[in-house]
Amino acid sequence: MQVEFYKYQGTGNDFVMIDNRSDFFPKKDTKLIERLCDRRFGIGADGLILLENDSETDFRMVYYNADGNQSSMCGNGGRCLVAFAKKLDVIENETTFIATDGLHHATIAPDAIVSLQMIDVDAINKFDNYTFLNTGSPHHVQLVDDLEHYNVKENGAAIRYGELYGKPGSNVNFVKKVDDKTFSLRTYERGVEDETLACGTGATAVAIAMNAIGETNETDINLNVEGGKLVVSFDKVGEHFTNVFLKGPAEFVFKGTIEI
């Protein structure tokens, strides 16, 4: 069967997008999804996203990691899916959609900047040298020295597979403070099992964690990721973070067909 796909990227986080409103895609075929995401034997992507019908919102987001398994929320993937929905004329400039972590609202500007509302966060676990929180996906956040030369893959894998998080594991973010309003980060993503050029839920986690541990009092924070720049904003009431938005570019790369 020939399948039409679209390729999108958000700050270097890239995704295979498929319009599955007719429910044709074999969603349980993890080997197929893994092959489509393979950078040598397939299309190549950090993940695959299906756009599906939903009875109460504009569409449903179904996200798979590059290993072929369905996964938790992907922030940059969500932003790219909004751009894809606009390209398909499913939406105009504003949308509400459902994902694995619940309801999301988003807007898309003429310059392809997508602002995506993330889930509220009120459970932040602070430890001596790291912070753990869930922003739709679980994230370990840790300040490190010399981020530029840090071995993200080796150290990230050690934490992801270590005793801290057990079998489910966690995404792992290593962070450098640039100034009160700006942080740089590099992320090891579970499911990809490598460093990615960006991680939207990771950037969101870093912004909230840095505020929660007192590294900044700002509520509108710039995040430098390997693939570009993202902005995370939120309202803070006590230890509760609400109106959380992830903002950045979501760009169409190419479309094609592939035999499955």
Side-chain angles (χ1 to χ4, degrees):
M1 177 172 60
Q2 289 283 331
V3 172
E4 183 177 70
F5 69 87
Y6 292 71
K7 180 79 175 281
Y8 275 78
Q9 65 88 13
T11 53
N13 221 178
D14 59 340
F15 308 95
V16 173
M17 301 284 188
I18 294 176
D19 180 358
N20 194 42
R21 285 176 292 171
S22 62
D23 199 28
F24 73 92
F25 190 82
K27 297 197 287 187
K28 294 183 179 180
D29 192 341
T30 58
K31 293 298 182 185
L32 169 63
I33 297 166
E34 184 179 19
R35 177 172 69 83
L36 293 176
C37 292
D38 193 287
R39 298 191 182 278
R40 292 176 177 84
F41 298 101
I43 301 163
D46 291 328
L48 181 144
I49 305 177
L50 302 177
L51 185 147
E52 298 189 341
N53 290 316
D54 183 67
S55 60
E56 297 181 359
T57 66
D58 293 325
F59 57 88
R60 176 176 295 273
M61 173 183 177
V62 182
Y63 175 68
Y64 297 87
N65 279 328
D67 63 5
N69 294 303
Q70 193 168 345
S71 188
S72 49
M73 180 57 183
C74 176
N76 285 330
R79 293 192 309 98
C80 286
L81 190 63
V82 170
F84 181 44
K86 180 175 174 62
K87 190 174 186 67
L88 295 177
D89 292 323
V90 173
I91 65 167
E92 293 186 2
N93 301 316
E94 190 170 352
T95 184
T96 301
F97 68 92
I98 193 77
T100 185
D101 64 339
L103 199 65
H104 290 268
H105 176 76
T107 57
I108 180 168
D111 60 357
I113 298 296
V114 176
S115 181
L116 172 65
Q117 187 170 22
M118 307 294 283
I119 63 170
D120 291 353
V121 176
D122 52 18
I124 302 172
N125 300 300
K126 306 173 191 176
F127 301 92
D128 288 342
N129 64 341
Y130 70 94
T131 306
F132 177 80
L133 64 162
N134 193 306
T135 54
S137 288
H139 281 278
H140 174 107
V141 177
Q142 182 174 325
L143 285 158
V144 298
D145 296 324
D146 196 13
L147 179 65
E148 183 179 355
H149 300 104
Y150 199 75
N151 191 329
V152 170
K153 185 172 183 178
E154 181 179 322
N155 292 302
I159 294 169
R160 183 258 194 269
Y161 288 107
E163 295 180 357
L164 274 180
Y165 303 113
K167 188 174 181 180
S170 174
N171 300 287
V172 184
N173 305 273
F174 300 107
V175 186
K176 172 187 175 182
K177 183 175 181 176
V178 178
D179 57 45
D180 281 347
K181 199 175 176 66
T182 309
F183 294 83
S184 296
L185 69 141
R186 296 173 64 189
T187 303
Y188 179 94
E189 280 200 56
R190 65 174 188 172
V192 179
E193 306 312 333
D194 204 346
E195 180 178 7
T196 54
L197 293 180
C199 176
T201 54
T204 305
V206 167
I208 291 173
M210 292 300 102
N211 181 288
I213 66 173
E215 287 292 329
T216 180
N217 292 318
E218 298 287 341
T219 57
D220 197 330
I221 297 172
N222 301 313
L223 287 309
N224 299 325
V225 297
E226 293 295 284
K229 296 182 183 296
L230 295 165
V231 176
V232 172
S233 61
F234 48 80
D235 294 331
K236 182 181 182 183
V237 182
E239 291 300 307
H240 183 67
F241 294 81
T242 188
N243 291 321
V244 181
F245 280 88
L246 171 69
K247 184 177 179 180
E251 300 176 348
F252 170 70
V253 182
F254 64 88
K255 66 179 287 189
T257 58
I258 191 167
E259 186 81 26
I260 66 169

